[in-house]
Amino acid sequence: MDAHSRGRADEIDPADQWVLNPQTGNYELRLNHSAGQSPSHPRSAATPGPRSAEGGRAAQRSRTATEAPVPGQRRRRAPEGPGGGQPPVSRRKRKPAKSRKKKVLLWTGGTLALVLVAGAVGTYVLYDQLNDNITTVDVAGAGSGGFKKDQAINILVIGTDKRTGEGNGGYGDKSSVGHADTTILFHVSKDRTNATAMSIPRDLMTEIPACETKQADGDVQTIPGTSQDRFNNSLGQSGRDPGCTMRTVKKLTGLTVDHFMMADFNAVKELSTAVGGVKVCVEKAVNDKKSHLKLPAGESTVQGEQALAFVRTRSSFGNKSDLDRIKIQQQFLSSMIRQMKSNETLTSPGKLLDLATAATKALTVDTGIGSIKKLSALAEELAKIDTKNITFATLPVIDNPDEPTPITVVPDPVKAPQLFAMLQSDTSLTEVKKKEQDAKNAQAQAQAALLKGARSTAREVRVDVYNGSGIQGAAQSTINWLQNEQGVTRSTNKSNAPEKAAKTTLTYAPNQADQARKLADLMGLPATALKPGTQDAGEREPMTLVLGSDFKGAGVPITGPAKAPEGAQTADKQVCAA
């Protein structure tokens, strides 16, 4: 029985399965709808009978029938005992009255699990009262005004290093107001077939723009921007709120962020415990004295403090950098996704309720999605994404050239714009549309027959590049890629084309055909993009390349599948940390 059918046999309203046990004072989950009340315990209208055997077992699985009143519990009149003059009440669902607004919501999607990193998806049993758990921030217009069902969605997931919560004061500066310590831009495609979770390094040097923040008294305060600052200072420092981080991401990537979700250390501990532990894998045994992580080689299951130690460690893997820690966090969250989507989780009412409670308590969101109803609408969109089509990637960076001994990084001048362009154009990093792509590739192969012939070397190619794509900086990013990555050193940026071009074109003379074929190979140009002239060109005369609206980014083929960034990993596979 799956999560959608559990508790719905005989048209029973799932909210009515929670029954107050007068012996314990707790609400308990009763899954046996036909079990009668014990005749040895007369009941009043306010005193339901003891739990059934099946209900008792389910309750024990759900923290002994939950240790607090169950959200959404509907108080109903129980039948009177002998002599009470009231007939037994049927347990079949009656037509609901208009006043019965409290409904159980089976939430399939991953909105709440996104508090740590984008892309974590799962199913939760949520009740309206869980609204009280959610903390909201008015981001003063930093977002898009709300996601739309017929458009791509961008969610900024922020993990802050604020040391609130029991036992967290020992992790560094317990009085810190917190930074944007772990940040992921979660891009959901327009057609909901795929998603990209792009991690942004906290030590990235970037521009933090001026931002407006809403104060508790309703006043709006403007925080001055900084031209070169660590990305993690976009939150918490100088009074900046998550809206400032949203604006920083837009300035960096060109993408408008629709919503944000933020959580602190407790989210890792509570969610990993609520889901029953997260499977991780390490190539070598780990004994990290700094994070207190101790694991044997191979696969282990971590939760609580151990899970937090796993995602915080920097001394155990790779070159002990923050970039390697990002990979560990991506592996952890990929595994959490799989656990949340597993039947073990989806068919356990206790786990679902624990997970919903933990997630809402750990969550801070913008007011645009600051209710269970709004989160549910977002979750319905996220639920359409198959786990294998969620790709984790990291913003490509290089060492900061302005530092003699680099301790910070800056965006890779070639690869970062490529990735931004792919996100802006909603290009999938997975092969979710393989059939469609195969058809395009077949067409490209047919056209490629027109390109048969000799090729020059990259060094021999001469080309002037004009930007007719409408994407700012497209010509220069293409020049950087051609010269630095492909060896086309005789290429020149000619700035903007006279007018915007619908398609990318390469105009060349008959005696430049070998150069044209080489450039077409490098850029993935179709034969239709090549425009041969009728007269030969001079020895030093360049070809003319005009970038059109089909341009997706420097190095991204105009035709054929786009390649995911190096190190990208999908959420459906277990990876061992090295």
Side-chain angles (χ1 to χ4, degrees):
M1 182 181 296
D2 62 22
H4 292 276
S5 59
R6 179 178 291 275
R8 294 188 181 274
D10 300 325
E11 297 301 312
I12 299 299
D13 189 321
D16 292 338
Q17 297 175 104
W18 294 94
V19 180
L20 179 67
N21 185 339
Q23 296 179 339
T24 64
N26 292 328
Y27 288 99
E28 301 172 353
L29 179 65
R30 176 171 295 152
L31 298 180
N32 187 348
H33 310 298
S34 61
Q37 303 291 348
S38 172
S40 61
H41 293 274
R43 295 163 293 171
S44 66
T47 311
R51 55 187 164 178
S52 66
E54 183 178 353
R57 289 191 296 270
Q60 290 175 353
R61 291 193 297 269
S62 181
R63 295 189 302 175
T64 314
T66 75
E67 298 170 358
V70 176
Q73 169 63 27
R74 195 177 295 152
R75 296 188 181 275
R76 53 185 294 175
R77 291 182 61 85
E80 295 273 354
Q86 300 230 8
V89 178
S90 170
R91 296 192 65 82
R92 288 187 177 273
K93 184 178 180 181
R94 290 178 252 172
K95 185 176 181 179
K98 292 183 179 180
S99 61
R100 299 180 72 185
K101 297 179 180 178
K102 305 294 185 183
K103 295 292 183 184
V104 172
L105 174 63
L106 288 174
W107 180 9
T108 305
T111 306
L112 297 182
L114 287 171
V115 294
L116 302 181
V117 303
V121 290
T123 301
Y124 314 106
V125 179
L126 297 177
Y127 298 82
D128 284 344
Q129 282 87 343
L130 289 178
N131 281 316
D132 295 337
N133 290 344
I134 303 174
T135 303
T136 62
V137 173
D138 188 337
V139 293
S144 64
F147 75 92
K148 296 178 177 59
K149 291 190 174 183
D150 59 346
Q151 295 183 12
I153 303 173
N154 294 305
I155 305 170
L156 192 64
V157 184
I158 307 171
T160 175
D161 58 356
K162 191 173 182 180
R163 271 76 171 173
T164 55
E166 183 179 355
N168 294 328
Y171 300 120
D173 183 7
K174 66 179 180 180
S175 61
S176 171
V177 295
H179 302 73
D181 195 53
T182 299
T183 306
I184 295 179
L185 179 61
F186 191 62
H187 174 83
V188 181
S189 67
K190 178 179 178 180
D191 61 9
R192 308 297 188 254
T193 60
N194 64 91
T196 299
M198 184 187 74
S199 295
I200 302 175
R202 68 175 191 172
D203 292 328
L204 178 78
M205 296 299 291
T206 189
E207 178 181 350
I208 300 178
C211 59
E212 295 181 344
T213 60
K214 197 75 169 287
Q215 305 301 304
D217 58 5
D219 289 343
V220 175
Q221 179 181 350
T222 300
I223 309 298
T226 50
S227 59
Q228 281 295 304
D229 204 345
R230 273 185 168 88
F231 178 85
N232 70 343
N233 287 333
S234 65
L235 174 71
Q237 311 308 301
S238 303
R240 296 185 178 114
D241 66 8
C244 299
T245 309
M246 294 169 71
R247 288 182 170 91
T248 302
V249 170
K250 181 177 181 179
K251 185 71 177 180
L252 173 67
T253 67
L255 290 162
T256 297
V257 179
D258 297 295
H259 301 287
F260 86 87
M261 295 180 179
M262 181 175 68
D264 57 20
F265 287 170
N266 277 342
V268 182
K269 297 193 294 186
E270 294 174 4
L271 286 175
S272 61
T273 300
V275 82
V278 176
K279 292 181 180 179
V280 297
C281 183
V282 296
E283 289 188 359
K284 300 178 181 178
V286 176
N287 187 4
D288 187 349
K289 295 181 179 180
K290 291 183 179 180
S291 69
H292 306 294
L293 177 66
K294 189 173 184 179
L295 292 175
E299 191 173 276
S300 300
T301 299
V302 297
Q303 61 180 324
E305 293 287 348
Q306 200 174 25
L308 180 59
F310 184 82
V311 299
R312 294 190 71 247
T313 184
R314 281 196 296 182
S315 304
S316 302
F317 308 110
N319 60 10
K320 302 181 181 180
S321 69
D322 185 57
L323 296 178
D324 282 297
R325 181 166 66 172
I326 287 175
K327 296 178 183 178
I328 299 304
Q329 292 169 347
Q330 291 175 348
Q331 293 168 14
F332 176 86
L333 288 155
S334 294
S335 184
M336 181 178 280
I337 291 172
R338 295 191 296 273
Q339 180 62 23
M340 289 179 175
K341 296 274 282 186
S342 69
N343 287 335
E344 179 185 350
T345 299
L346 299 184
T347 59
S348 170
K351 280 189 178 180
L352 293 176
L353 183 57
D354 284 350
L355 194 53
T357 302
T360 50
K361 286 183 177 180
L363 193 64
T364 298
V365 301
D366 59 278
T367 52
I369 50 173
S371 70
I372 296 299
K373 182 178 180 180
K374 293 176 180 178
L375 285 171
S376 299
L378 178 57
E380 288 177 2
E381 300 302 304
L382 302 183
K384 301 171 184 177
I385 309 169
D386 193 313
T387 304
K388 67 181 180 181
N389 297 327
I390 300 174
T391 305
F392 287 96
T394 302
L395 169 62
V397 296
I398 60 173
D399 288 340
N400 188 349
D402 295 333
E403 297 175 343
T405 304
I407 57 174
T408 62
V409 295
V410 297
D412 187 302
V414 175
K415 296 178 181 179
Q418 290 179 17
L419 181 54
F420 297 158
M422 292 176 73
L423 295 176
Q424 291 166 3
S425 62
D426 206 20
T427 301
S428 171
L429 269 62
T430 64
E431 297 180 354
V432 317
K433 298 181 179 178
K434 193 173 185 304
K435 291 183 179 179
E436 294 179 18
Q437 197 60 63
D438 287 346
K440 291 181 181 179
N441 290 345
Q443 182 182 11
Q445 290 173 2
Q447 293 174 337
L450 301 176
L451 295 173
K452 289 183 178 180
R455 264 79 170 158
S456 66
T457 64
R459 183 176 177 79
E460 293 171 326
V461 173
R462 294 177 182 271
V463 62
D464 288 343
V465 181
Y466 292 83
N467 184 10
S469 69
I471 300 175
Q472 185 176 1
Q476 187 58 51
S477 66
T478 298
I479 291 295
N480 292 341
W481 176 75
L482 286 173
Q483 294 183 352
N484 299 331
E485 300 289 326
Q486 304 302 321
V488 183
T489 56
R490 296 171 178 175
S491 52
T492 305
N493 180 4
K494 290 296 184 178
S495 192
N496 292 330
E499 58 184 5
K500 191 173 181 179
K503 299 289 184 179
T504 297
T505 58
L506 176 62
T507 303
Y508 62 99
N511 62 338
Q512 294 173 325
D514 54 348
Q515 295 183 45
R517 296 187 190 105
K518 180 62 175 179
L519 189 61
D521 291 344
L522 295 175
M523 297 191 64
L525 298 176
T528 54
L530 274 60
K531 305 297 180 184
T534 57
Q535 296 182 347
D536 284 348
E539 182 180 356
R540 296 178 180 275
E541 187 175 346
M543 301 180 292
T544 299
L545 175 68
V546 179
L547 303 176
S549 298
D550 55 353
F551 174 79
K552 297 181 179 66
V556 180
I558 300 299
T559 60
K563 294 183 179 180
E566 183 179 352
Q569 55 182 310
T570 54
D572 63 328
K573 298 178 181 179
Q574 178 75 60
V575 179
C576 289

